[in-house]
Amino acid sequence: LAKTTQPISMDSYEGQEVNITCSHNNIATNDYITWYQQFPSQGPRFIIQGYKTKVTNEVASLFIPADRKSSTLSLPRVSLSDTAVYYCLVGDMFVAGNNRKLIWGLGTSLAVNP
Amino acid sequence: EAGVVQSPRYKIIEKKQPVAFWCNPISGHNTLYWYLQNLGQGPELLIRYENEEAVDDSQLPKDRFSAERLKGVDSTLKIQPAELGDSAVYLCASSLDLGAGVGNEQFFGPGTRLTVL
């Protein structure tokens, strides 16, 4: 099972770009990388998912180097409302049944200051 | 479109009492998950259903926890008897899972915060 390592916390200011890096040294060939965001008293919310290179959507970008042993979530021009916990998950999205395991780590607590 | 619905939102019980949580997933989602989340920790999977079949319950403490998903739609998670250490947030999530990695995004409910006194 691929374990992930993220910084416990990060601080930023409004308008800045924030990059959160996740290490997953033993990622398997079929594993995808998925990021979720969680606000206090709410369930996590999907942000972005990727397999290799770069993925971009309306809220974030995900950069994955060729060796796929790490990934970086990039949040452009953060605002106060981006203050949340961000989770990096690695898992095989193609295998159904009991073989598909997703491990949620501690996440990164991002604080955006005015 | 309605999201994942959970009830109750909060529950306070005394230890040794039973408690049940209910989850209504997004319509059409065939996969349903129950997670436990302690303060400052990430969610921990308790059980995952594909339709009405529990395909992963390896982390479910079966001596006191039970779950069911009748007709592959709503699901109930029960604890009997509850212990002090069961105090946590219980999250339900669902996903569409069309196969081959499509539709595996999980949609979470707001959770039920359980306090065992």
Side-chain angles (χ1 to χ4, degrees):
Chain A
L1 299 176
K3 181 181 176 181
T4 61
T5 303
Q6 307 173 231
I8 294 296
S9 64
M10 295 182 68
D11 279 280
S12 184
Y13 293 92
E14 285 189 287
Q16 290 191 332
E17 178 185 77
V18 171
N19 295 308
I20 306 175
T21 297
C22 179
S23 297
H24 27 80
N25 291 319
N26 59 340
I27 189 169
T29 301
N30 288 339
D31 285 346
Y32 274 66
I33 300 154
T34 310
W35 286 80
Y36 283 82
Q37 174 192 55
Q38 186 175 27
F39 298 112
S41 300
Q42 294 185 25
R45 184 181 70 168
F46 174 90
I47 300 176
I48 197 166
Q49 183 180 82
Y51 183 80
K52 62 180 180 180
T53 63
K54 177 184 175 181
V55 179
T56 298
N57 61 23
E58 63 275 8
V59 298
S61 295
L62 179 60
F63 298 93
I64 307 168
D67 66 6
R68 303 199 328 121
K69 293 183 181 300
S70 67
S71 58
T72 299
L73 174 71
S74 181
L75 305 172
R77 296 181 297 281
V78 294
S79 64
L80 296 176
S81 63
D82 292 316
T83 294
V85 177
Y86 293 82
Y87 293 97
C88 166
L89 283 76
V90 172
D92 188 339
M93 298 300 170
F94 285 78
V95 179
N98 201 28
N99 294 323
R100 194 175 88 192
K101 299 287 188 181
L102 293 175
I103 300 176
W104 297 68
L106 296 177
T108 297
S109 180
L110 172 66
V112 179
N113 302 292
Chain B
E1 178 183 327
V4 175
V5 179
Q6 289 188 249
S7 69
R9 288 297 312 276
Y10 304 91
K11 189 73 176 180
I12 301 174
I13 61 172
E14 294 188 345
K15 63 181 180 182
K16 301 184 181 180
Q17 295 299 306
V19 64
F21 314 121
W22 176 79
C23 174
N24 181 233
I26 292 175
S27 177
H29 281 195
N30 56 12
T31 304
L32 184 145
Y33 312 74
W34 281 103
Y35 289 91
L36 174 157
Q37 186 172 28
N38 289 303
L39 187 65
Q41 306 290 315
E44 301 171 34
L45 181 69
L46 290 172
I47 189 168
R48 177 165 66 91
Y49 283 93
E50 290 187 5
N51 299 305
E52 64 274 10
E53 181 183 359
V55 296
D56 185 356
D57 62 355
S58 57
Q59 301 303 311
L60 188 72
K62 298 180 182 64
D63 57 334
R64 297 184 300 107
F65 286 65
S66 65
E68 61 181 9
R69 190 184 184 197
L70 299 177
K71 300 181 180 180
V73 182
D74 294 6
S75 178
T76 302
L77 178 69
K78 298 179 181 178
I79 308 175
Q80 182 171 9
E83 297 178 351
L84 295 176
D86 295 332
S87 294
V89 175
Y90 291 82
L91 293 164
C92 178
S94 69
S95 61
L96 186 58
D97 275 331
L98 296 175
V102 178
N104 57 65
E105 171 188 349
Q106 295 183 42
F107 293 82
F108 284 80
T112 297
R113 182 176 296 278
L114 173 67
T115 301
V116 182
L117 303 176

